[in-house]
Amino acid sequence: MTVIFEDQILNHYSDDDLEKFILRSSPISSRVFCLSSTLVAKQVSPPEASGEVAAMKLAKQLGIRVASIKKILERTRLTYIIMDRIAGSNLEEVWAQKSWFESLGLAFQLNRYILTMRSLVFPTVGTLDKGRCHSIWLEDYYRLPESSKPEAIESFFKFWLQFKAPQNQLILPLPSNPTPLVFTHKISLPETFSSIMMDTFG
């Protein structure tokens, strides 16, 4: 194995050598590694990999600026998505430094991306590949089945909102007019800001 990673021969490295390069590289975050000046490797669990790749490809088709995927490295316990490295700073770092006018422009840009994603309506809930539903509110022992339809989701919430615990007789109302199932980003706002890169074009 060569000492220095070379982008141009990415697809010629063996899986073992490529993983060694990733693990030797500088971490950008707990799951993202700086493989080179132009590539990063994102570490995901194998069950999540295909759904994340499908979501990135769909977002790109919608005109949302996401990194291009160069290679998928599948290992026994982990999968690495190797993609373009976006030169710039993450939004969390630069947001406070922006003027009121620049912040407003960024807010409109993010809102446009969100509206574009939410314009896609799906008949079932979950990831694009297998319909898995990831949510801290839904991942109890009796979780939603894969590719659940709105009727199943309504029944799920109706049961838990009207569940009577021995110490608590409070029954919460079921929300009326449920919203359609749309394409969206599942992670929380603080993590979203730290994962959005702002390049030289803004």
Side-chain angles (χ1 to χ4, degrees):
M1 185 178 77
T2 58
V3 178
I4 301 174
F5 176 79
E6 300 179 55
D7 294 9
Q8 62 272 23
I9 58 172
L10 169 65
N11 293 315
H12 296 286
Y13 287 117
S14 68
D15 289 351
D16 289 340
D17 285 347
L18 188 52
E19 185 176 32
K20 289 176 183 177
F21 275 121
I22 293 172
L23 296 177
R24 279 169 30 187
S25 63
S26 302
I28 298 175
S29 68
S30 60
R31 297 196 302 155
V32 180
F33 300 85
C34 181
L35 193 53
S36 71
S37 60
T38 59
L39 295 175
V40 296
K42 182 177 181 181
Q43 184 185 86
V44 297
S45 65
E48 295 177 351
S50 58
E52 185 149 347
V53 169
M56 290 178 67
K57 290 181 177 179
L58 179 56
K60 202 172 191 68
Q61 292 172 9
L62 293 173
I64 297 170
R65 295 164 64 186
V66 297
S68 296
I69 297 173
K70 300 300 183 183
K71 186 179 178 70
I72 308 295
L73 176 61
E74 297 178 339
R75 307 303 280 165
T76 304
R77 297 183 178 180
L78 292 170
T79 297
Y80 297 94
I81 304 174
I82 300 172
M83 64 188 86
D84 285 333
R85 180 183 180 185
I86 307 301
S89 303
N90 69 57
L91 190 58
E92 186 179 38
E93 294 174 348
V94 302
W95 183 267
Q97 304 168 11
K98 295 297 178 183
S99 67
W100 180 87
F101 182 77
E102 289 173 322
S103 298
L104 190 60
L106 287 172
F108 277 115
Q109 185 177 358
L110 290 172
N111 185 62
R112 184 169 68 252
Y113 288 160
I114 292 170
L115 291 177
T116 300
M117 293 171 66
R118 292 178 65 84
S119 67
L120 291 183
V121 179
F122 296 90
T124 59
V125 73
T127 56
L128 295 176
D129 59 336
K130 297 179 180 179
R132 294 191 186 93
C133 186
H134 301 284
S135 170
I136 60 172
W137 307 109
L138 303 178
E139 292 181 355
D140 64 354
Y141 186 78
Y142 301 101
R143 60 187 299 166
L144 278 172
E146 295 181 356
S147 301
S148 293
K149 294 185 177 182
E151 296 79 11
I153 300 171
E154 182 178 352
S155 297
F156 181 94
F157 279 108
K158 183 179 293 184
F159 173 83
W160 287 111
L161 288 173
Q162 297 181 351
F163 178 74
K164 295 182 181 181
Q167 299 83 10
N168 186 2
Q169 298 299 316
L170 177 65
I171 300 178
L172 298 175
L174 182 69
S176 58
N177 301 321
T179 57
L181 304 174
V182 297
F183 182 40
T184 190
H185 202 294
K186 72 181 179 66
I187 58 178
S188 60
L189 183 60
E191 187 180 349
T192 302
F193 265 44
S194 63
S195 65
I196 297 175
M197 299 300 296
M198 184 172 177
D199 60 18
T200 54
F201 301 101

